Amino acid sequence: MVNKIELENRMIPYKILLEALENTYELVDFILLDDTIPSLRIGLKYLISTIEKHIEEAREGLPIVGHHFAFQAEYLECFDLVPVCVEGTSYILSALLPEGVEKYYDLMENWGHPFHTCSSQKGVMGMTLDDLFRFDAIITPTGPCDNTYASYPYFQYTEHIPTILPEMPFLHEEKSYHFYGQQIKEGLIKLGKIIGQEPDWDKMRKALEMDNKSLKPQLELFELKKAVPCPVENMFNAMSAAMSVFAAGKQEKIDYYNDMLEVAKFNYRQKKHHGGEEKIRSIWPYMLIFFDLTLCEWLDREIGMSVLFDIFNYNFTELVDTKSDLDTMFYGMAKKGMDFPMMRQSTDFYYSFIDDCVNLAKEYQADCFIFTVHIGCKQFGSVGQILREALRDEVGIPLLMVDLDVGDQRMTSMQVLRDKINMFSQTLL
Amino acid sequence: MNLDNDPFLKISESIENKYVQDWKNENKKVMGYYCTYIPEELFHAAGFLPFRIRATGHETDELADIYMVRFTCGFVRLTLDLALRGGYNFIDGLFITNCCDHARRMYELYDLTVFKKEEFKGRNHRFYVALPHVVTEGGFQWYKQEIIELKKEIEETYQLGNISDEALKNSIILHNENRRLLREIYSLRIIDKPKITGSEFLQISMANSSVPKEIANKELARILNLLKNSPGIEDTKKRILLMGSVVDNLSFIKTIEESGAHVISDFLCFGNRNIIDDVKIEGDLLENIANRTYYRMSCPRMMDDHERRFEYLKKEIKRAKIDGVVMQRINNCDLHGCENMLCEHEFKDLGISAFNFDREAFQTDTNRMQTRIEAFLEMIK
């Protein structure tokens, strides 16, 4: 008889994650007032529901498939499997575990992984090295960065996990979308052969339709952020990133955005800012940090700084056409994949990224930009100064750059980050 | 045979050289490029001198630091710094491919910084080719189309008319001959009594990428004759294979040699890895050029080709009677850093001595590096 515990132990970090989510939710629910940090409360609720289902699926013996965050989980809905987002898992655990996941980074670095690679992949690599994940297969597009090309071969050549690599071309052109669409399709067919399943395109179509539904409230929320004060709290950005990764194509994602939309509408009508008074409107063109989510609250309450967007939350994806033929659907999936946060900016020249930033700054009345230069993201390592110059010349606002590792508190500590932001804020007020 | 003062090798010690100046004096154009994933034959057939950008001897990156954060590659930072200071004022265009995240962003940075300078007015053309990251038939078809489009773009930009098949064929023959000569020289490096050192081979390779191939071939043939008639090096130094990030820094390879080793072989882009494969001269010539560039012996930017690279390394270690492997990476080079990690474990499993370390692009920390290399050499059985 199959031992169900053994089956769920193929993904121990998800069990740790579920416990961390439940504990955090309990704390939020017991300690905070009912209307405090609603995005955290709502997000945790839906994340718990999603992760619980995944663990149940693992217990039923479904194959465990690791995927890059840029290979959207809803694409994998054509199979019965348990999706594990490699980058998302490292960082959500980094955010929720009191000790972070530094010990897995260290484990991997002791094995020879360079210190300057991306911690989002290093975390799950370390967990795999420690036998906490037993993947049946892994799928990743060939993007967005050197770290993906460099780190994923570890799974393929050292852990001997079958790895599928749909080719994502550089440059946003029509031919790229057609090519990548075919690559997604072929990649899924290959994955099916590895896990012994036929892809069910209709099932995937339904998941895509679900994800399409979540776009409307998401875009409405973005519209509301134009209001002064911003009616959406900073924590929304972090939770929204988590929902996009873990609950793609699921009802939980739709519910999260709908619930948050209600909160935002209420705040908008009341002209209410989460921190009391909005003093500075900031855009984070790259990531928020993951190793300490209290930053969001600190910015709202102590500095009076709204984070209008981070890279995971200025969404330029379009609805996928699910009503036409299969190739049209794959074309839409490719377009969405290449426009996905971070992919859009990494698979194109800097020009469109700079244009996006300038336009957002104007449209959302931003007072400043804060650019977290993540050690892993070499593809963004040369844009800081030219973005700063563009913002200065075209909008007249400053940009603060902070070098750090968004998933490792040891490189630039929370205290250093706060000090820098504090001093920067004083120059703005 | 000591080639230290050979005029051809001396070219490697500077950036611009008299052959480039002669070329420019004839009103011919120079195309700068960063990575060896370049259809060099196509640019040559179009009348360009393809010049591989490097920063040999340049040891400051203050200007580049304005634009590139400290997590970026020191080699690329140095080249940008040099370009910002006028070191590459002689180029008439820049070819970039998505070889790595550091070098590919030079497309924008040259546009927004270097090419803004008055000296580049009318000479600031840039070409970009998207190279897939996996080796598949589908990927090749994509790349072939990119090369077809590139040819058209070059023809239109410089109003060249059609780059003829005859010109392509001549270029292919010239470049194949160039690689053949380099392979012959390389074969004299890996014999029991090597006739050329690793640092000399690096100098030849760098010089070769900085002059017209017509000149290079004559010079390589001359050097080959000199070497053939020279006595080999007789000593008992350890025989090393050097692999990893780009090396355009002679002091670095000399440090290894001065630590008591011969760098008998390498797996570097300024070195052996770039001369393994040739272009076929029958059939569709443009397709053949694309074929060689795409299917050639890869570097870690090709993410599914590690096994082929490692198989090649194993064979080369046997062929060149290598005692140990030195794996190095320039700090922040994720691609070679992770490849070295995989290889280190695989070498260990095979009982092959290997040493893996990181370094700056320019020579620094020499004593500590030398001590570590000496310790490694002593540990080799």
Side-chain angles (χ1 to χ4, degrees):
Chain A
M1 188 183 157
V2 182
N3 184 331
K4 296 215 166 193
I5 298 293
E6 263 181 36
L7 286 171
E8 69 176 35
N9 280 352
R10 294 176 297 152
M11 46 188 288
I12 289 172
Y14 263 42
K15 291 168 75 174
I16 298 171
L17 172 59
L18 181 61
E19 204 176 311
L21 287 166
E22 286 171 342
N23 288 344
T24 312
Y25 186 76
E26 214 171 278
L27 278 172
V28 171
D29 209 35
F30 285 173
I31 296 172
L32 300 181
L33 297 172
D34 278 353
D35 62 346
T36 321
I37 330 184
S39 63
L40 186 61
R41 194 186 298 265
I42 296 166
L44 287 170
K45 183 176 80 177
Y46 292 126
L47 280 173
I48 288 169
S49 157
T50 309
I51 300 298
E52 265 177 351
K53 283 179 200 161
H54 285 327
I55 292 174
E56 181 53 40
E57 287 158 354
R59 205 177 288 138
E60 295 305 316
L62 295 188
I64 313 283
V65 174
H67 69 98
H68 195 287
F69 80 90
F71 195 86
Q72 288 79 359
E74 69 265 28
Y75 302 174
L76 297 171
E77 290 284 333
C78 59
F79 300 115
D80 292 323
L81 54 74
V82 190
V84 171
C85 176
V86 171
E87 293 74 15
T89 302
S90 300
Y91 279 169
I92 196 167
L93 285 170
S94 157
L96 293 175
L97 297 182
E99 306 274 309
V101 287
E102 276 78 351
K103 71 173 177 176
Y104 299 107
Y105 305 152
D106 292 349
L107 198 62
M108 208 54 220
E109 283 180 20
N110 289 339
W111 203 79
H113 205 242
F115 69 89
H116 45 72
T117 50
C118 185
S119 44
S120 73
Q121 288 152 355
K122 206 180 311 191
V124 166
M125 288 166 78
M127 291 167 202
T128 310
L129 180 67
D130 207 20
D131 210 19
L132 301 181
F133 271 123
R134 286 182 222 152
F135 293 111
D136 294 286
I138 283 186
I139 189 161
T140 176
T142 59
C145 59
D146 280 356
N147 280 280
T148 301
Y149 321 131
S151 291
Y152 274 78
Y154 163 80
F155 294 115
Q156 185 172 4
Y157 297 108
T158 303
E159 296 290 343
H160 304 291
I161 300 164
T163 303
I164 301 131
L165 307 166
E167 179 72 44
M168 182 189 274
F170 186 89
L171 277 192
H172 288 227
E173 296 171 334
E174 276 304 301
K175 68 171 185 178
S176 307
Y177 304 136
H178 287 289
F179 181 80
Y180 184 47
Q182 263 323 101
Q183 289 284 309
I184 295 173
K185 187 178 178 185
E186 286 169 21
L188 289 170
I189 292 168
K190 265 189 214 167
L191 176 60
K193 286 183 181 151
I194 290 165
I195 60 173
Q197 294 180 26
E198 281 289 321
D200 180 342
W201 302 133
D202 277 336
K203 216 169 140 223
M204 184 176 77
R205 192 187 300 273
K206 280 177 192 136
L208 289 166
E209 280 165 2
M210 292 288 272
D211 216 65
N212 279 348
K213 278 186 197 165
S214 69
L215 195 59
K216 191 173 173 288
Q218 211 174 341
L219 294 177
E220 271 190 69
L221 273 159
F222 295 152
E223 276 304 299
L224 282 172
K225 285 185 177 193
K226 286 181 182 166
V228 181
C230 175
V232 185
E233 70 209 65
N234 293 341
M235 188 67 81
F236 163 82
N237 295 302
M239 297 314 290
S240 168
M243 295 310 294
S244 313
V245 164
F246 288 101
K250 296 192 181 299
Q251 185 61 43
E252 282 88 345
K253 186 176 169 190
I254 302 170
D255 292 343
Y256 172 74
Y257 286 116
N258 277 330
D259 289 4
M260 281 309 301
L261 185 58
E262 289 310 308
V263 174
K265 280 179 180 169
F266 176 81
N267 289 344
Y268 172 72
R269 286 192 292 268
Q270 304 290 316
K271 291 196 182 306
K272 186 184 163 198
H273 183 256
H274 182 68
E277 184 192 356
E278 182 180 71
K279 295 175 187 161
I280 302 168
R281 292 167 66 82
S282 70
I283 288 177
W284 294 47
Y286 213 48
M287 291 181 273
L288 278 165
I289 59 163
F290 294 99
F291 61 77
D292 193 340
L293 291 184
T294 63
L295 177 72
C296 296
E297 281 294 285
W298 178 81
L299 289 169
D300 259 333
R301 292 173 191 278
E302 299 292 322
I303 305 289
M305 180 187 282
S306 298
V307 178
L308 303 170
F309 300 105
D310 70 342
I311 195 165
F312 292 118
N313 287 286
Y314 46 94
N315 196 325
F316 294 97
T317 59
E318 293 171 14
L319 298 177
V320 177
D321 178 355
T322 57
K323 307 294 177 202
S324 307
D325 60 25
L326 204 56
D327 281 343
T328 307
M329 191 162 78
F330 278 109
Y331 170 88
M333 289 160 69
K335 204 153 192 254
K336 183 179 178 181
M338 290 187 72
D339 265 339
F340 200 67
M342 200 179 288
M343 306 310 285
R344 174 181 171 89
Q345 299 82 5
S346 301
T347 55
D348 207 334
F349 297 125
Y350 282 149
Y351 310 115
S352 58
F353 173 62
I354 290 168
D355 285 348
D356 287 346
C357 288
V358 166
N359 291 337
L360 286 170
K362 288 177 181 169
E363 218 173 318
Y364 286 81
Q365 301 176 61
D367 300 309
C368 66
F369 271 54
I370 297 181
F371 189 168
T372 48
V373 188
H374 174 51
I375 185 169
C377 293
K378 312 301 190 292
Q379 79 276 29
F380 279 87
S382 313
V383 72
Q385 180 61 20
I386 51 179
L387 175 60
R388 173 182 279 152
E389 288 170 8
L391 290 168
R392 183 194 60 204
D393 297 347
E394 294 184 45
V395 198
I397 61 171
L399 174 144
L400 170 70
M401 261 195 273
V402 189
D403 295 353
L404 43 66
D405 184 325
V406 296
D408 189 336
Q409 58 190 317
R410 297 168 300 185
M411 186 175 164
T412 300
S413 69
M414 184 64 171
Q415 191 54 51
V416 170
L417 184 59
R418 283 185 182 186
D419 286 348
K420 285 186 185 223
I421 293 172
N422 223 339
M423 285 188 278
F424 179 62
S425 305
Q426 284 166 29
T427 67
L428 295 168
L429 294 171
Chain B
M1 162 116 219
N2 191 338
L3 292 171
D4 265 1
N5 291 315
D6 189 279
F8 187 67
L9 273 68
K10 282 277 173 198
I11 290 169
S12 68
E13 292 171 16
S14 61
I15 303 300
E16 203 173 345
N17 59 67
K18 84 178 186 69
Y19 298 110
V20 173
Q21 286 156 5
D22 291 348
W23 185 271
K24 298 281 294 182
N25 288 340
E26 289 171 33
N27 281 328
K28 292 196 280 189
K29 296 188 187 331
V30 179
M31 182 63 61
Y33 70 96
Y34 266 87
C35 171
T36 54
Y37 275 99
I38 174 180
E40 211 176 338
E41 295 84 355
L42 173 59
F43 281 105
H44 178 272
F48 287 90
L49 163 60
F51 187 101
R52 186 164 182 205
I53 290 177
R54 54 189 167 85
T56 315
H58 190 63
E59 296 198 343
T60 178
D61 55 9
E62 281 171 10
L63 292 183
D65 276 354
I66 297 168
Y67 298 101
M68 300 178 74
V69 297
R70 64 187 166 117
F71 310 140
T72 49
C73 166
F75 166 75
V76 177
R77 273 207 312 270
L78 286 171
T79 60
L80 178 66
D81 194 274
L82 192 55
L84 288 167
R85 290 172 199 272
Y88 280 102
N89 281 358
F90 60 88
I91 61 171
D92 298 275
L94 182 68
F95 172 79
I96 293 285
T97 191
N98 50 334
C99 50
C100 74
D101 284 339
H102 312 270
R104 76 167 156 121
R105 291 308 191 184
M106 290 304 102
Y107 186 90
E108 297 99 309
L109 281 191
Y110 270 67
D111 177 30
L112 298 168
T113 63
V114 179
F115 287 160
K116 288 275 185 246
K117 292 161 47 174
E118 186 60 27
E119 302 90 288
F120 283 103
K121 213 170 176 185
R123 298 193 294 125
N124 54 2
H125 305 293
R126 290 159 301 133
F127 300 89
Y128 188 93
V129 161
L131 175 66
H133 281 277
V134 292
V135 186
T136 59
E137 176 54 28
F140 173 66
Q141 291 305 327
W142 166 276
Y143 186 65
K144 191 177 100 181
Q145 190 54 36
E146 288 280 290
I147 297 299
I148 292 168
E149 287 170 24
L150 173 68
K151 178 174 177 277
K152 203 171 159 213
E153 201 185 337
I154 296 169
E155 288 165 346
E156 285 172 3
T157 306
Y158 295 99
Q159 297 171 329
L160 297 174
N162 181 41
I163 301 169
S164 69
D165 264 10
E166 194 188 345
L168 285 173
K169 190 170 183 178
N170 288 339
S171 291
I172 292 170
I173 291 169
L174 183 76
H175 283 77
N176 281 350
E177 173 64 2
N178 184 257
R179 286 183 283 260
R180 186 193 68 74
L181 287 164
L182 284 167
R183 283 196 297 268
E184 262 206 70
I185 294 174
Y186 175 78
S187 71
L188 298 176
R189 178 183 168 195
I190 63 168
I191 54 179
D192 288 353
K193 291 175 190 170
K195 298 192 177 197
I196 180 171
T197 66
S199 51
E200 287 166 343
F201 191 81
L202 175 67
Q203 281 180 284
I204 289 173
S205 180
M206 286 197 288
N208 185 59
S209 70
S210 310
V211 301
K213 287 288 181 283
E214 292 84 351
I215 304 285
N217 284 0
K218 282 183 194 156
E219 290 294 309
L220 294 177
R222 176 183 63 79
I223 290 168
L224 185 60
N225 271 335
L226 284 176
L227 291 173
K228 276 181 179 168
N229 297 320
S230 72
I233 305 166
E234 279 193 70
D235 60 27
T236 56
K237 285 182 177 178
K238 294 285 192 295
R239 295 166 69 88
I240 293 300
L241 183 146
L242 178 65
M243 60 182 282
S245 302
V246 58
V247 177
D248 74 332
N249 165 5
L250 268 177
S251 314
F252 168 65
I253 203 160
K254 282 190 170 163
T255 301
I256 300 175
E257 289 172 342
E258 283 161 12
S259 304
H262 284 303
V263 180
I264 289 290
S265 177
D266 70 70
F267 198 60
L268 301 171
C269 56
F270 264 126
N272 181 35
R273 196 171 59 228
N274 198 31
I275 58 173
I276 296 168
D277 308 283
D278 280 332
V279 182
K280 286 183 198 153
I281 47 171
E282 299 85 26
D284 182 337
L285 299 178
L286 204 56
E287 178 173 320
N288 294 351
I289 292 170
N291 189 293
R292 187 253 168 197
T293 317
Y294 181 72
Y295 286 113
R296 52 167 288 194
M297 181 51 68
S298 62
C299 82
R301 58 96 51 218
M302 286 295 195
M303 68 186 291
D304 67 337
D305 206 23
H306 168 75
E307 273 175 359
R308 186 165 69 114
R309 291 191 292 271
F310 194 70
E311 277 307 309
Y312 178 84
L313 280 169
K314 281 196 296 186
K315 281 184 193 153
E316 202 55 20
I317 285 167
K318 202 171 170 187
R319 182 166 84 110
K321 297 180 184 166
I322 295 298
D323 297 310
V325 180
V326 171
M327 292 176 284
Q328 52 77 34
R329 73 169 190 277
I330 294 173
N331 265 331
N332 304 315
C333 177
D334 300 317
L335 294 172
H336 285 286
C338 289
E339 175 86 346
N340 288 353
M341 168 188 76
L342 297 182
C343 288
E344 186 177 9
H345 287 273
E346 289 162 346
F347 284 139
K348 198 176 161 192
D349 291 345
L350 295 172
I352 296 167
S353 301
F355 173 48
N356 184 6
F357 71 106
D358 56 306
R359 65 179 178 93
E360 293 299 329
F362 57 82
Q363 189 72 354
T364 180
D365 209 9
T366 307
N367 287 347
R368 200 170 66 94
M369 189 192 293
Q370 188 157 355
T371 306
R372 294 179 71 194
I373 294 165
E374 282 169 0
F376 168 65
L377 295 175
E378 280 173 29
M379 282 190 290
I380 295 176
K381 287 164 197 156

